[in-house]
Amino acid sequence: MAVSMETQLQSIFEEVVKTEVIEEAFAGMFMDTAEDEKTKLISCLGAFRQLWVNLPQESHEQCVQWIVRFIHGQHNPKRISFLYDCLAMAVESGLLPPSAFLYLFTRLVCESLINSESLEWERMQLWALTFKLIRKIIGGVDYKGVRDLLKAILEKIQTIPNTVSSAVVQQLQTAKDVVAYILDRNACLLPAYFAVTEIRKLYPEGKLSHWLLGNLASDFVDSFRPTARINSICGRCSLLPVVNNSGAICNSWKLDPTTLRFPLRGLLPYDKDLFDPQTALLRYVLEQPYSRDMVCNMLGLNKQFASFPHMVLSLHQKLAGRGLIKGRDHLMWVLLQFISGSIQKNALADFLPVMKLFDLLYPEKECIPVPDISKPQSTHAFAMTCIWIHLNRKAQNDNSKLQIPIPHSLKLHHEFLQQSLRNKSLQMNDYKIALLCNAYSTNSECFTLPMGVLVETIYGNGNLRISLPGTNCTASGSISPLPMNLLDSLTVHAKMSLIHSIATRVIKLAHAKSSLALAPALVETYSRLLVYMEIESLGIKGFISQLLPNVFKSHAWGILHTLLEMFSYRMHHIQPHYRVQLLSHLHSLAAVPQTNQNQLHLCVESTALRLITALGSSEVQPQFTRFLSDPKTVLSAESEELNRALILTLARATHVTDFFTGSESIQGTWCKDILQTIMVFTPHNWASHTLSCFPAPLQAFFKQNNVPQESRFNLKKNVEEEYRKWKSMTNENDIITHFSMQGSPPLFLCLLWKMLLETDHINQIGYRDLYCSLDCRVLERIGARALVAHVRTFADFLVYEFSTSAGGQQLNKCIEILNDMVWKYNIVTLDRLILCLALRSHEGNEAQVCYFIIQLLLLKPNDFRNRVSDFVKENSPEHWLQNDWHTKHMNYHKKYPEKLYFEGLAEQVNPPVQIQPQYLPIYFGNVCLRFLPVFDIVIHRFLELLPVSKSLETLLDHLGGLYKFHDRPVTYLYNTLHYYERHLRDRTNLKRKLVHAVIGSLKDNRPQGWCLSETYLKSAMNAREDNPWVPDDTYYCKLIGRLVETMAGKSPDPFTNCDWRFNEFPNPAAHALHVTCVELMALSVPGKEVGNALLNVVLKSQPLVPRENITAWMNAIGLVITALPEPYWIVLNDRIVSVINSATLTSDTEWVGYPFQLFDFTACHQSYCEMYCSYVLALAHAVWHHSSIGQLSLIPKFLTEVLKPLVKTEFQLLYVYHLVGPFLQRFQQERTRCMLEIGIAFYEMLQNVDQNSKHLSYMDPICDFLYHVKYMFTGDSVKDQVEKIICTLRPALKLRLRFVTHISKVEPAAPVQPASSASPANPSTQVSTGVTLPVTQ
């Protein structure tokens, strides 16, 4: 029968502790000799060894636990001491082969002793013997076991009460001795990083460690403050983003949603301000218009919810007793927005806390007088009365007993509203209607009257009709929209009711297929309502997802045309996902047969072009990655021009965001499938001068996917052949069938050109009549969609014709005929023809000819110049302030009617062919506005080709005024100067001309200083080419100071306050940043010099830069310099190199203090100890914090190729760690490859320092940081590479870093360095380890 393990153990240990009767009788008087003790120990261990080796491994833990229970169950001190000696000897003598068993046994002994329920501080002998034994044998435990033991020991120490007898303190100190040994960095029992983590878990920030530990724990934690500093961004709490800037939506600004703290990695003793809730940062972002998306991104929220009663009660609590009543009306106006819109769906009790606020904020005993209702502020003054009316109505509907009588102070307001409601003939000359809408929007009986007046005003009288541009197009007669100040005076609920009424009417008219177009007042008012983000669900969301599909489903093409015009010319700050969704709709729409109609097709393509070119650089990637599974939905299946425009936008976006930095191929990127799909839909090439501007991976893609092009000679030959057919065919039906047949070569416009060129239309009237009649019918049969291919071929043919033209008279005749085709015969619109010409891929001389044709088309005849001149002179871009847009619009179209159905060609027939096309309603558009996005593209093409620079200047002189109506003039300038920085470096005149044309176009509509600084306007604009203006330091300080003040919300604002809902930018800081960048890029100074001057704003002593606000200036410089092209910000690397090479970091005698004080920017700055290296460090952090991940991805190359060869000293190494350490978290989240490269570079630099330094004084902080990198970021990903490096390091470093790669044994080549080589923050004494230090995975 098998004997149980417990029985065998009982036998072994009872045998060794048994005593004779006489010994028990005379206890304490008999003592074993040392020899007898040793014999007993050996006998016991021999028996135990026999048992242990035969036990299954799963029983080992149970075995050790039994032994500990046996020992702790003894009461004789001598026996307890003897048994502890047995355990010690079992470990130290190695009696338990193999060594793995010994390691396991040692760990089990320590764990079982610590975790024993019998181990209590009151049992002093047991406590002392336990920790003395653990101190003796813990060196044989693996590092993860030591970590677990440290945790258990700290928790055991926590059981000691705060007050104990001084007599027992000495015994209790044995536990502290074990902790001290574990924390001893020279003993190196575990990574110190593990130890600090366990300590910080038990004693987080602000909690004192146990009294028994004294300063031991706190000193050890303090030794990690350098590591925490290395991982901290200098002045991080002072850095602020620009909302809606490309760098704002990234991981740099993330906060913990529950605590509002920075998401710090590792339990390190970071500076206190980094643990504080970042309420100032969140409040700053919330204060910016259009910040919702960024707030959600910062906090990781899909939606934001707030408890209304909790919010109101919290406000009451904070305001109570403070006597603050100024602004009470505005507060109630804000609360009214929520109450009126949600009270019908929620319980009355949720809203009653507002009355507590009323009691607090409206202490008047007498009635508050009725304000002047001719002023918009009156709606705020009535807000509290409106709230009471909504609460009272809710109580009545619910039959609630909670009805509240009207407060005495509000009686006059209430009586005024009641009296106004009885007046059935409300007028629009004051805010009475708005007041009634706001007060009674939840009372349908009362609400109908005021809302009915608003609706009737914009719908128009049913009998009144007005004409719209084109033929056969009439609309309802109301032309004056509701003014913005009236719409602003309506509550959210009232606005939602109004926009719902409008959308419902539009859908109803679409279903009815009404021939009467919408009233201009309705269309303009609807456009204005769509700017309110607070009604997004019924506003832009409903517009895109409900109204458009309904209108399309009803085939109401006139209304569809209207909605697209609204989107093109009236909408602002539409979220990118809505714009891309509309783009997808438009591509689907283009394939529908019913849209193959000249005017609608032109509108669809123009709207799509605007959507594509208007995409922000930071919007392209996040939006198009949503369609990676089916990229066809956001691409045109047939329009080469739209797909080319998308590629140009993609090239610009990836350049500005530095997406492709460090890459040579598009493989594995989000744009690969998009580009490949485009090449399937519309295969094409790019001219070499355009391709050279693309980022390198895009260049490589198009070179690999080259498309064979038809030779110009073959094109000429085919045209000649088709022309001979035309002339030889006599049957009109055959002619029409042949030239309009699907699949036939798209050469018909080329034939028309030849007919007009070769036919003397004065002497050969008969031929002309025949040709024109046939041409009209052929063009109609070809259709709008297929005609685009003819325009494309015609553009190529024109270039060939002009290239081979003899010049002189023939050239003039060519231009005259081309102009006639546009303006006289109405065969093709100017904007479509110019777009095709600008996007063809001609090389060399042919490219110059193509641009020459564009210039002649735009400038030589007066037709287009006159249209532009009159439109610019007679109209204002501030449509939201106008009530007479329609009148001006109609006057312009009467003077310059647009003909889109070949009317001019039909009129050439004698007698004229009478065609009466049904025009779709035009409310906003004309050829000038349609041409603007085309002009954007034309300017870019001209910039790419150096020989046509003068032609571009001429175009800007004559047509630059159009930028007065550009949606995003500053953004266009910013993108242009950024993307073409390399091409414009030496073309300062052209840069200046471009900036002057675009910004100058708005001189009559913007206040002085709205964009360019006064200094720039005086000095740069008037500079001569041979004597360019070079700004001084004061100029750069003022420019950065302007941005600093704007972000600080200084009043008066450096930029005049405006209605940001209609501004190009959503908030003052975004505007300030972009105009600053445009001005800097427009300077006739190389980018490198500008970049250095920006750095000098804080790196040199500047009288205009206040010391107390230095981090705000660094923040502004970081924002500006990272928004500029690479030559501007790459100069920071030179400053870093100069610091690395400085005597401060290379000499042993230059700085003899603690390096972490040297690198502490905040401390240096506050103590007026101006250390250049700390300023560069703080500025680098500000710049890199604002950098895109593309810009940051250059850091690994900078480290390995530039800094690594220079780093030879500890100070240099620590400086590099300080520089890069804080950004590892972002690399891990956004570009893991870079993080791994940096991790390897850190070890390679350490290897350099180790080989070039006789003594290392800061090994511990260095190793602590490297362990932080391993456990927080790289893991074992770089293990193979760094293991080879660690093996070459000096023994002291190798000992400390052995856990990085799990080196199991340290060669005894040299003794551990003495205490001087440990961190001065935690001086230690050298301790013999006593046993081998095993390490396991």
Side-chain angles (χ1 to χ4, degrees):
M1 181 177 175
V3 181
S4 69
M5 177 191 71
E6 289 81 359
T7 304
Q8 294 181 66
L9 287 169
Q10 185 96 18
S11 172
I12 294 170
F13 285 95
E14 284 194 347
E15 176 66 26
V16 81
V17 297
K18 81 176 177 182
T19 57
E20 300 295 333
V21 176
I22 191 169
E23 289 181 273
E24 292 178 4
F26 297 95
M29 300 181 67
F30 285 83
M31 292 189 65
D32 289 334
T33 64
E35 193 65 33
D36 291 340
E37 287 275 352
K38 187 174 182 181
T39 303
K40 278 187 180 183
L41 284 172
I42 292 173
S43 171
C44 175
L45 289 176
F48 177 68
R49 179 181 181 280
Q50 191 66 34
L51 171 63
W52 179 265
V53 296
N54 291 317
L55 277 178
Q57 192 166 346
E58 59 269 18
S59 299
H60 285 169
E61 184 174 358
Q62 189 181 354
C63 172
V64 175
Q65 288 174 351
W66 187 96
I67 296 171
V68 170
R69 281 198 303 273
F70 179 83
I71 296 172
H72 287 182
Q74 302 297 317
H75 299 286
N76 186 315
K78 182 182 174 185
R79 289 183 181 179
I80 295 173
S81 180
F82 175 78
L83 289 170
Y84 267 95
D85 288 344
C86 282
L87 286 178
M89 189 171 182
V91 173
E92 291 180 316
S93 61
L95 289 176
L96 301 176
S99 59
F101 278 0
L102 179 59
Y103 136 71
L104 176 63
F105 180 71
T106 307
R107 177 171 178 172
L108 287 175
V109 167
C110 292
E111 288 177 348
S112 299
L113 287 170
I114 289 294
N115 295 324
S116 171
E117 293 179 359
S118 302
L119 182 62
E120 296 172 338
W121 70 273
E122 295 95 335
R123 297 184 65 179
M124 297 312 305
Q125 184 203 18
L126 203 62
W127 180 277
L129 288 174
T130 295
F131 286 106
K132 284 179 179 176
L133 175 59
I134 292 174
R135 167 65 179 81
K136 202 172 192 180
I137 67 174
I138 196 171
V141 180
D142 70 297
Y143 73 98
K144 290 185 179 178
V146 174
R147 175 195 60 191
D148 296 339
L149 286 171
L150 174 63
K151 178 182 178 183
I153 293 168
L154 292 174
E155 289 172 350
K156 190 66 75 172
I157 289 173
Q158 283 296 103
T159 64
I160 302 173
N162 288 334
T163 55
V164 296
S165 168
S166 58
V168 302
V169 170
Q170 189 63 36
Q171 298 285 69
L172 295 177
Q173 285 284 355
T174 52
K176 179 183 177 181
D177 294 342
V178 177
V179 174
Y181 182 45
I182 293 174
L183 300 185
D184 190 323
R185 289 175 176 274
N186 287 330
C188 203
L189 300 183
L190 80 169
Y193 191 82
F194 275 12
V196 80
T197 300
E198 295 305 325
I199 293 172
R200 296 281 288 175
K201 282 180 185 176
L202 196 59
Y203 308 118
E205 191 72 17
K207 183 177 179 181
L208 294 175
S209 61
H210 194 276
W211 63 264
L212 179 65
L213 297 174
N215 293 333
L216 180 63
S218 58
D219 287 349
F220 186 76
V221 169
D222 283 343
S223 74
F224 273 82
R225 294 204 180 275
T227 307
R229 267 302 150 64
I230 291 174
N231 287 283
S232 302
I233 292 172
C234 295
R236 183 174 182 181
C237 298
S238 302
L239 301 180
L240 298 174
V242 166
V243 176
N244 276 32
N245 183 38
S246 59
I249 304 295
C250 72
N251 292 304
S252 298
W253 307 105
K254 296 276 189 185
L255 296 176
D256 184 282
T258 55
T259 64
L260 295 187
R261 292 176 178 173
F262 291 125
L264 303 171
R265 287 292 186 89
L267 297 179
L268 297 174
Y270 293 100
D271 289 347
K272 184 179 180 302
D273 59 350
L274 296 180
F275 288 113
D276 292 337
Q278 299 302 310
T279 49
L281 170 60
L282 184 60
R283 187 184 300 116
Y284 163 80
V285 173
L286 284 168
E287 286 171 354
Q288 309 304 310
Y290 299 95
S291 60
R292 183 184 64 184
D293 287 350
M294 182 167 182
V295 170
C296 290
N297 181 266
M298 287 172 69
L299 302 179
L301 305 174
N302 291 323
K303 290 185 178 179
Q304 290 166 283
F305 296 101
S307 165
F308 183 77
H310 175 80
M311 180 179 71
V312 173
L313 290 171
S314 177
L315 275 171
H316 182 274
Q317 181 183 353
K318 290 177 184 294
L319 292 171
R322 302 183 66 178
L324 298 174
I325 62 171
K326 187 179 179 181
R328 64 185 182 180
D329 291 344
H330 187 76
L331 173 60
M332 291 305 171
W333 171 252
V334 172
L335 297 179
L336 174 61
Q337 309 304 309
F338 181 81
I339 292 171
S340 61
S342 60
I343 194 168
Q344 290 173 302
K345 296 180 180 178
N346 293 281
L348 176 62
D350 288 347
F351 304 95
L352 291 180
V354 174
M355 296 309 296
K356 291 187 69 176
L357 265 184
F358 167 77
D359 294 337
L360 180 68
L361 299 177
Y362 293 80
E364 289 90 343
K365 302 300 181 185
E366 68 283 354
C367 293
I368 301 172
V370 174
D372 181 355
I373 64 164
S374 66
K375 296 179 179 177
Q377 292 86 353
S378 60
T379 55
H380 290 204
F382 269 89
M384 188 60 231
T385 308
C386 293
I387 288 174
W388 179 86
I389 291 173
H390 287 295
L391 294 176
N392 197 49
R393 178 67 179 176
K394 176 68 172 177
Q396 290 173 2
N397 290 344
D398 293 355
N399 295 318
S400 171
K401 296 179 181 178
L402 297 174
Q403 294 185 34
I404 305 166
I406 182 74
H408 178 72
S409 58
L410 301 179
K411 275 191 174 179
L412 290 180
H413 286 196
H414 186 243
E415 288 170 4
F416 176 83
L417 291 172
Q418 291 284 307
Q419 183 181 349
S420 300
L421 201 58
R422 290 191 286 272
N423 180 5
K424 302 302 179 185
S425 57
L426 295 169
Q427 301 300 313
M428 295 286 291
N429 55 3
D430 57 27
Y431 289 89
K432 192 180 293 181
I433 291 175
L435 289 171
L436 293 174
C437 286
N438 296 345
Y440 298 104
S441 61
T442 57
N443 185 335
S444 55
E445 295 91 352
C446 301
F447 186 54
T448 306
L449 173 65
M451 182 53 66
V453 175
L454 293 181
V455 167
E456 187 179 339
T457 301
I458 58 174
Y459 286 179
N461 187 308
N463 300 320
L464 185 62
R465 302 282 188 273
I466 58 168
S467 295
L468 292 178
T471 57
N472 303 324
C473 191
T474 57
S476 296
S478 181
I479 62 172
S480 296
L482 297 180
M484 282 303 298
N485 51 12
L486 174 63
L487 296 177
D488 289 343
S489 299
L490 296 173
T491 62
V492 169
H493 193 225
K495 283 197 278 277
M496 291 182 82
S497 299
L498 179 57
I499 200 170
H500 177 70
S501 174
I502 292 173
T504 303
R505 181 176 177 85
V506 172
I507 291 174
K508 182 179 177 182
L509 291 173
H511 287 327
K513 292 187 169 57
S514 171
S515 60
L516 188 65
L518 303 173
L522 182 149
V523 175
E524 190 80 73
T525 301
Y526 187 25
S527 302
R528 291 177 177 182
L529 283 167
L530 288 171
V531 305
Y532 293 97
M533 283 193 70
E534 57 266 35
I535 58 171
E536 178 186 338
S537 57
L538 288 177
I540 186 60
K541 187 176 181 180
F543 180 95
I544 296 289
S545 58
Q546 295 175 15
L547 186 57
L548 266 174
N550 263 294
V551 168
F552 175 67
K553 187 178 178 181
S554 301
H555 290 185
W557 307 123
I559 294 178
L560 178 65
H561 187 273
T562 301
L563 299 180
L564 296 184
E565 269 210 315
M566 285 169 56
F567 210 95
S568 292
Y569 305 116
R570 285 296 185 266
M571 296 201 192
H572 303 263
H573 302 304
I574 303 301
Q575 290 172 286
H577 66 272
Y578 289 129
R579 287 183 269 132
V580 175
Q581 188 179 346
L582 177 59
L583 180 62
S584 179
H585 285 333
L586 292 178
H587 289 321
S588 304
L589 193 63
V592 177
Q594 293 91 331
T595 61
N596 192 16
Q597 183 252 55
N598 289 9
Q599 189 183 359
L600 187 55
H601 184 267
L602 178 64
C603 180
V604 168
E605 289 231 326
S606 294
T607 307
L609 181 66
R610 278 179 173 271
L611 288 168
I612 291 168
T613 56
L615 279 169
S617 297
S618 61
E619 296 170 350
V620 174
Q621 180 185 356
Q623 292 310 314
F624 280 89
T625 48
R626 294 167 49 221
F627 297 90
L628 288 185
S629 58
D630 189 15
K632 297 190 291 293
T633 54
V634 284
L635 304 174
S636 175
E638 53 187 24
S639 174
E640 182 180 314
E641 286 69 37
L642 291 181
N643 286 340
R644 280 180 178 268
L646 180 59
I647 288 170
L648 291 170
T649 299
L650 194 149
R652 179 254 299 165
T654 53
H655 165 86
V656 171
T657 60
D658 295 279
F659 174 77
F660 284 122
T661 301
S663 302
E664 296 297 327
S665 167
I666 64 166
Q667 292 299 322
T669 63
W670 57 273
C671 56
K672 177 186 174 186
D673 289 341
I674 290 173
L675 292 173
Q676 289 179 336
T677 308
I678 286 176
M679 294 305 283
V680 171
F681 282 164
T682 54
H684 61 271
N685 290 328
W686 290 94
S688 57
H689 51 271
T690 301
L691 200 59
S692 67
C693 301
F694 284 8
L698 292 186
Q699 292 185 38
F701 174 83
F702 285 106
K703 287 173 182 175
Q704 291 166 6
N705 293 272
N706 192 46
V707 178
Q709 285 187 292
E710 183 184 19
S711 71
R712 303 291 184 257
F713 175 77
N714 286 343
L715 175 59
K716 174 75 172 174
K717 179 182 172 185
N718 293 338
V719 172
E720 296 289 350
E721 187 177 332
E722 288 294 298
Y723 189 53
R724 282 195 297 272
K725 287 182 184 176
W726 168 270
K727 295 176 72 173
S728 65
M729 296 173 77
T730 55
N731 185 293
E732 291 187 14
N733 289 333
D734 290 346
I735 292 173
I736 294 170
T737 302
H738 174 78
F739 289 101
S740 61
M741 185 170 56
Q742 189 174 1
S744 60
L747 303 172
F748 190 68
L749 293 186
C750 303
L751 304 185
L752 271 176
W753 161 269
K754 285 191 66 67
M755 293 174 213
L756 293 170
L757 193 63
E758 295 185 7
T759 303
D760 186 342
H761 46 29
I762 295 175
N763 298 326
Q764 300 185 23
I765 300 296
Y767 284 113
R768 185 191 66 188
D769 291 346
L770 174 62
Y771 287 168
C772 291
S773 174
L774 286 171
D775 292 344
C776 278
R777 285 180 281 174
V778 172
L779 288 170
E780 287 171 1
R781 286 277 293 272
I782 289 173
R785 196 173 298 134
L787 190 61
V788 177
H790 291 258
V791 177
R792 208 173 289 135
T793 310
F794 180 50
D796 288 343
F797 183 68
L798 278 177
V799 173
Y800 180 86
E801 288 284 278
F802 275 75
S803 298
T804 56
S805 168
Q809 271 312 110
Q810 187 182 1
L811 183 62
N812 289 334
K813 187 176 182 183
C814 287
I815 284 296
E816 182 185 346
I817 290 170
L818 189 55
N819 198 52
D820 286 347
M821 289 179 73
V822 174
W823 302 113
K824 183 176 180 181
Y825 303 129
N826 315 122
I827 294 168
V828 60
T829 60
L830 180 76
D831 50 307
R832 294 301 93 185
L833 179 56
I834 297 291
L835 180 65
C836 278
L837 281 165
L839 289 174
R840 305 311 294 154
S841 53
H842 301 292
E843 296 284 355
N845 182 58
E846 288 189 348
Q848 294 184 49
V849 170
C850 179
Y851 297 157
F852 175 64
I853 296 170
I854 291 174
Q855 183 185 357
L856 291 177
L857 260 174
L858 293 174
L859 300 182
K860 189 163 181 31
N862 289 330
D863 300 75
F864 187 57
R865 276 197 293 167
N866 289 342
R867 283 167 168 79
V868 170
S869 175
D870 285 357
F871 182 68
V872 169
K873 182 171 59 180
E874 295 168 8
N875 290 279
S876 165
E878 296 170 328
H879 57 83
W880 59 95
L881 300 177
Q882 299 172 330
N883 60 6
D884 61 344
W885 163 264
H886 181 74
T887 303
K888 293 183 176 181
H889 173 67
M890 286 306 300
N891 290 341
Y892 183 80
H893 273 276
K894 285 172 184 173
K895 187 174 183 180
Y896 300 110
E898 291 208 31
K899 299 177 180 179
L900 304 172
Y901 294 90
F902 323 117
E903 291 98 323
L905 199 58
E907 289 167 4
Q908 300 305 308
V909 181
N910 190 15
V913 176
Q914 294 299 318
I915 59 172
Q916 291 290 318
Q918 176 62 57
Y919 270 77
L920 304 176
I922 301 173
Y923 296 92
F924 309 119
N926 57 56
V927 67
C928 296
L929 293 177
R930 281 203 316 274
F931 179 68
L932 256 176
V934 177
F935 197 20
D936 288 350
I937 291 173
V938 167
I939 289 173
H940 285 180
R941 300 288 74 72
F942 274 67
L943 287 174
E944 292 163 357
L945 200 62
L946 185 61
V948 297
S949 293
K950 288 296 180 186
S951 299
L952 176 55
E953 291 186 26
T954 307
L955 285 178
L956 291 170
D957 284 336
H958 289 91
L959 304 178
L962 266 180
Y963 278 91
K964 174 181 179 180
F965 299 95
H966 200 289
D967 287 345
R968 293 160 300 278
V970 176
T971 303
Y972 176 69
L973 266 183
Y974 170 80
N975 287 336
T976 302
L977 295 172
H978 197 299
Y979 184 68
Y980 292 107
E981 185 273 333
R982 186 164 50 88
H983 284 65
L984 291 170
R985 281 177 193 172
D986 303 319
R987 298 155 80 183
T988 55
N989 265 6
L990 183 57
K991 272 201 296 190
R992 190 163 61 244
K993 173 76 75 174
L994 179 62
V995 171
H996 178 72
V998 175
I999 303 302
S1001 68
L1002 285 154
K1003 63 181 183 298
D1004 298 329
N1005 302 97
R1006 298 285 190 275
Q1008 183 76 15
W1010 75 277
C1011 179
L1012 301 172
S1013 68
E1014 186 179 351
T1015 307
Y1016 181 89
L1017 289 170
K1018 284 181 180 177
S1019 306
M1021 283 299 191
N1022 300 318
R1024 299 196 314 271
E1025 189 170 5
D1026 59 341
N1027 185 27
W1029 173 62
V1030 179
D1032 57 12
D1033 285 349
T1034 302
Y1035 165 78
Y1036 292 104
C1037 289
K1038 287 183 177 178
L1039 204 61
I1040 294 299
R1042 187 177 66 170
L1043 176 57
V1044 172
E1045 289 185 1
T1046 304
M1047 295 189 70
K1050 291 286 179 68
S1051 184
D1053 195 75
F1055 303 102
T1056 304
N1057 286 325
C1058 63
D1059 192 336
W1060 295 103
R1061 296 172 299 183
F1062 297 99
N1063 193 277
E1064 174 178 1
F1065 299 101
N1067 54 69
H1071 174 86
L1073 175 61
H1074 281 83
V1075 297
T1076 300
C1077 290
V1078 164
E1079 184 167 327
L1080 289 168
M1081 289 189 284
L1083 293 172
S1084 56
V1085 180
K1088 183 176 180 179
E1089 291 182 25
V1090 174
N1092 276 314
L1094 290 173
L1095 299 180
N1096 284 337
V1097 168
V1098 292
L1099 294 182
K1100 283 175 64 176
S1101 178
Q1102 305 284 7
L1104 294 177
V1105 181
R1107 285 186 53 84
E1108 68 276 5
N1109 203 20
I1110 189 72
T1111 50
W1113 286 70
M1114 288 185 173
N1115 183 65
I1117 293 168
L1119 281 164
V1120 170
I1121 208 166
T1122 54
L1124 294 171
E1126 184 177 322
Y1128 293 79
W1129 51 261
I1130 204 69
V1131 296
L1132 177 63
N1133 290 0
D1134 298 334
R1135 299 299 181 99
I1136 293 170
V1137 169
S1138 71
V1139 170
I1140 291 291
N1141 286 328
S1142 67
T1144 308
L1145 302 189
T1146 56
S1147 169
D1148 293 336
T1149 58
E1150 187 73 18
W1151 177 268
V1152 294
Y1154 195 44
F1156 302 101
Q1157 294 173 344
L1158 177 65
F1159 303 152
D1160 187 344
F1161 166 75
T1162 304
C1164 286
H1165 183 71
Q1166 290 176 349
S1167 62
Y1168 286 78
C1169 178
E1170 314 289 349
M1171 297 307 302
Y1172 183 75
C1173 61
S1174 69
Y1175 271 68
V1176 172
L1177 177 66
L1179 185 55
H1181 282 180
V1183 171
W1184 289 350
H1185 189 63
H1186 288 293
S1187 294
S1188 69
I1189 190 60
Q1191 291 168 325
L1192 288 180
S1193 64
L1194 289 178
I1195 290 178
K1197 186 177 181 182
F1198 176 56
L1199 286 183
T1200 54
E1201 296 183 7
V1202 180
L1203 295 186
K1204 189 176 77 173
L1206 304 177
V1207 174
K1208 302 287 173 56
T1209 70
E1210 277 187 294
F1211 276 37
Q1212 290 176 315
L1213 180 69
L1214 288 169
Y1215 192 78
V1216 172
Y1217 286 0
H1218 274 80
L1219 271 173
V1220 184
F1223 303 98
L1224 290 174
Q1225 185 170 345
R1226 192 155 164 221
F1227 278 120
Q1228 185 192 40
Q1229 293 165 333
E1230 299 178 46
R1231 201 153 288 187
T1232 309
R1233 171 182 53 82
C1234 291
M1235 178 198 69
L1236 300 179
E1237 291 173 2
I1238 291 169
I1240 295 169
F1242 283 163
Y1243 283 92
E1244 291 172 340
M1245 290 184 188
L1246 174 60
Q1247 187 178 37
N1248 281 359
V1249 172
D1250 183 55
Q1251 292 171 354
N1252 288 277
S1253 302
K1254 187 175 181 181
H1255 300 288
L1256 292 180
S1257 301
Y1258 303 100
M1259 285 192 297
D1260 289 336
I1262 290 170
C1263 295
D1264 292 342
F1265 171 66
L1266 293 177
Y1267 276 112
H1268 176 77
V1269 172
K1270 171 182 168 63
Y1271 290 116
M1272 292 295 109
F1273 305 112
T1274 62
D1276 284 339
S1277 301
V1278 296
K1279 173 184 170 183
D1280 293 341
Q1281 296 92 324
V1282 303
E1283 185 170 12
K1284 297 171 186 174
I1285 297 171
I1286 292 173
C1287 288
T1288 68
L1289 302 176
R1290 67 186 66 192
L1293 270 176
K1294 201 184 302 182
L1295 174 70
R1296 284 165 169 77
L1297 292 174
R1298 66 199 184 94
F1299 306 110
V1300 171
T1301 57
H1302 313 300
I1303 301 171
S1304 61
K1305 193 174 182 180
V1306 180
E1307 300 85 342
V1312 175
Q1313 282 197 357
S1316 62
S1317 60
S1319 167
N1322 184 31
S1324 334
T1325 55
Q1326 187 172 348
V1327 180
S1328 171
T1329 55
V1331 294
T1332 306
L1333 303 176
V1335 180
T1336 62
Q1337 290 280 58

